[in-house]
Amino acid sequence: MSDLLHMKRGSAELAVLAVLEREALHGYEIAKRIEARSGGELRFDVASLYPLLYRLEARGLVKGTWEETPRGRKRRSYRITVSGRKALAPLRKQWRTFFDALELVAGVRGA
Amino acid sequence: MPDWEQFVGDRLGARFAAAHPEIVLELTGHLEEKYEDLRGKGLSAVAAERRALAQVSDWIRLRKDLERARQGDTMKNQQIRSVWLPGLVSAAAGFGLLRGILAFTGLRDWMFDSRVTELLPFPALERAACIFAIPWIAVLPIAGALGAFVSWRAGGRPGQRVVAALVPELVVAGTALLALPVDIVIGIPRGEWSFAHLPAALFVWILLPAVALTLGSLPLLHLTTLPAQRG
């Protein structure tokens, strides 16, 4: 896997875990929350979100459970696991370090 | 509003949809919500539908990504279901058939009948073992085919089907490896063991059975791999 792909995947994982840190959300809400928090800069669609959620679930970082809405629609709600919380801190640190380095090199500032 | 579930199922393929109904349901929910959200923002039904459908540009790629993502959690289970459990079936079939042959054909008596065993140029025990190998090798194509078939049914890939078929041989080889040092230590001082017999033993007990098992699995190898069942 290329470093660029690693980076892209790592940033997507960070975004999903970060929005799940506060509360459990279902897929569509996760996408909306990320878009809203990033001011529309980060967008997840079906094709990018669900393979990522399933990978995170496979690694035990999130856990999905089925629930039924008041309107009778079934949907899967994801919550961050203890392992997910543990993974979040080093991920944040890595990205902070990355943006600090990028700022030094190219004058690009991180969040 | 389109039938989103039907739409997602069709796009992901009938086989995938049958194996992963929960994924179809989840993606359907997402598209429905997107559509309703857009309608709520004042978009026409056609425009909302078009925008919702734009969530996925390449359904084949999405299916592959979903399969890969799902494989992560089920990799071990998938290996157990498509290699080791079929392998146990293969081994049980091999040993069961052998036992049946020995019980019902009187071959057990032949094994120690000097008129038969003296035809072979080995000491008595090796002669008996060689004759014992004949029915064993004879049943292995059936055992191998059964193991490969069960592996295929469980979504095993061709390589996994071959390994599943070879499990009876792994059992025998493992047992032989464990027994060999003991056999050497006890047999050499008593003059009952010679390294000269090792190539013949490897040929009869390792190579031939492996070929027989692989031959049994061959007809199953060209079958299209079925989607793995989720554990």
Side-chain angles (χ1 to χ4, degrees):
Chain A
M1 191 185 294
S2 73
D3 287 347
L4 196 65
L5 191 57
H6 258 310
M7 270 177 57
K8 225 174 138 182
R9 186 174 284 180
S11 63
E13 286 179 1
L14 175 62
V16 170
L17 290 174
V19 295
L20 290 177
E21 192 182 17
R22 292 181 199 168
E23 59 183 317
L25 298 167
H26 67 273
Y28 187 62
E29 277 176 333
I30 293 171
K32 277 178 72 175
R33 201 64 65 91
I34 291 172
E35 190 173 342
R37 272 211 219 169
S38 67
E41 291 298 321
L42 294 178
R43 287 185 189 179
F44 279 87
D45 53 24
V46 165
S48 55
L49 180 63
Y50 289 94
L52 173 64
L53 281 173
Y54 297 154
R55 273 197 304 273
L56 290 173
E57 192 174 26
R59 288 162 52 200
L61 303 181
V62 301
K63 171 105 179 106
T65 45
W66 285 99
E67 58 182 31
E68 201 164 322
T69 65
R71 292 171 62 190
R73 177 182 284 162
K74 280 188 175 175
R75 60 190 188 186
R76 207 147 181 256
S77 178
Y78 293 88
R79 64 173 175 77
I80 192 166
T81 62
V82 175
S83 305
R85 285 185 196 282
K86 281 182 188 165
L88 193 51
L91 259 179
R92 279 197 169 113
K93 194 178 169 194
Q94 278 170 23
W95 280 93
R96 234 174 254 134
T97 310
F98 174 74
F99 280 114
D100 286 348
L102 213 54
E103 188 180 358
L104 290 172
V105 173
V108 178
R109 282 186 91 161
Chain B
M1 186 166 109
D3 181 343
W4 291 106
E5 191 166 352
Q6 179 75 39
F7 176 84
V8 172
D10 287 348
R11 290 296 181 280
L12 289 174
R15 192 175 280 176
F16 181 92
H20 304 284
E22 78 288 355
I23 294 181
V24 174
L25 195 62
E26 193 168 16
L27 302 195
T28 299
H30 188 113
L31 292 179
E32 277 175 359
E33 282 194 68
K34 181 74 183 173
Y35 175 85
E36 285 164 11
D37 222 5
L38 293 167
R39 289 286 285 148
K41 286 177 183 167
L43 263 73
S44 69
V46 174
E49 190 180 323
R50 199 166 47 233
R51 287 270 297 275
L53 293 179
Q55 289 270 305
V56 183
S57 56
D58 185 344
W59 284 90
I60 294 170
R61 184 172 174 180
L62 173 60
R63 187 180 68 211
K64 286 179 182 167
D65 285 347
L66 291 168
E67 279 170 343
R68 266 197 296 271
R70 276 301 198 204
Q71 273 170 6
D73 66 331
T74 58
M75 189 65 86
K76 277 185 187 165
N77 290 340
Q78 204 268 345
Q79 275 183 359
I80 290 169
R81 274 196 307 273
S82 60
V83 177
W84 301 115
L85 288 180
L88 279 180
V89 172
S90 179
F95 293 120
L97 285 168
L98 177 66
R99 193 184 164 129
I101 287 176
L102 291 179
F104 295 111
T105 62
L107 197 74
R108 202 193 304 260
D109 301 329
W110 284 22
M111 283 165 56
F112 298 100
D113 187 322
S114 59
R115 285 169 300 176
V116 178
T117 57
E118 279 172 10
L119 295 172
L120 294 166
F122 305 123
L125 203 61
E126 273 79 2
R127 286 182 204 143
C130 275
I131 291 171
F132 180 70
I134 293 167
W136 172 239
I137 292 165
V139 301
L140 289 182
I142 301 168
L146 195 61
F149 174 76
V150 177
S151 171
W152 169 70
R153 290 287 303 160
R157 296 184 298 277
Q160 291 176 317
R161 290 173 224 164
V162 174
V163 176
L166 287 170
V167 166
E169 187 49 29
L170 296 178
V171 174
V172 171
T175 310
L177 271 177
L178 288 174
L180 193 64
V182 179
D183 202 23
I184 291 172
V185 169
I186 296 173
I188 286 180
R190 294 163 68 177
E192 291 172 356
W193 210 95
S194 164
F195 280 100
H197 298 145
L198 199 57
L202 288 175
F203 180 74
V204 171
W205 288 102
I206 306 291
L207 188 65
L208 279 184
V211 170
L213 287 163
T214 308
L215 280 177
S217 73
L218 280 183
L220 283 303
L221 298 186
H222 72 280
L223 297 175
T224 309
T225 302
L226 298 174
Q229 303 291 311
R230 285 202 72 207

